[in-house]
Amino acid sequence: MNIRELDLNLLLVFDAVYRERSTGVAAQKLGLSQPAVSNALRRLRDFTGDALFFRAGNTMKPTRVATALELPIRHALASVEGIL
């Protein structure tokens, strides 16, 4: 993985989908369209090589990789927010 190839805005999408367990609700919280959130997830999946989330009924469930990434991503976002 090359961090220079990662759009850091994708981490905001990851965090919102992880918290909300829904691409639609995450989209509303982020002020994006649902297709934009789905596209961001596709890009993150391509970057990580993992599905990250899978649909289970009306809910998006995280994979093991997503669960492992959740806390470090949340801390990174909090750090950036605190700095700015």
Side-chain angles (χ1 to χ4, degrees):
M1 283 188 224
N2 184 351
I3 191 72
R4 293 174 194 226
E5 296 173 8
L6 178 65
D7 176 351
L8 297 179
N9 288 311
L10 299 178
L11 301 182
L12 293 170
V13 172
F14 173 91
D15 184 58
V17 173
Y18 194 94
R19 289 177 189 250
E20 303 302 332
R21 301 294 204 262
S22 164
T23 56
V25 176
Q28 287 178 330
K29 298 247 178 181
L30 295 169
L32 299 171
S33 68
Q34 189 278 329
V37 169
S38 292
N39 184 51
L41 282 179
R42 181 193 53 76
R43 292 173 58 204
L44 272 172
R45 287 173 173 138
D46 290 346
F47 184 78
T48 63
D50 187 79
L52 299 176
F53 299 94
F54 59 94
R55 186 151 306 279
N58 292 333
T59 303
M60 297 296 287
K61 298 276 188 180
T63 65
R64 288 184 184 164
V65 170
T67 300
L69 290 173
E70 185 267 336
L71 195 56
I73 288 175
R74 189 171 293 178
H75 285 148
L77 292 172
S79 292
V80 170
E81 190 174 79
I83 290 167
L84 300 176

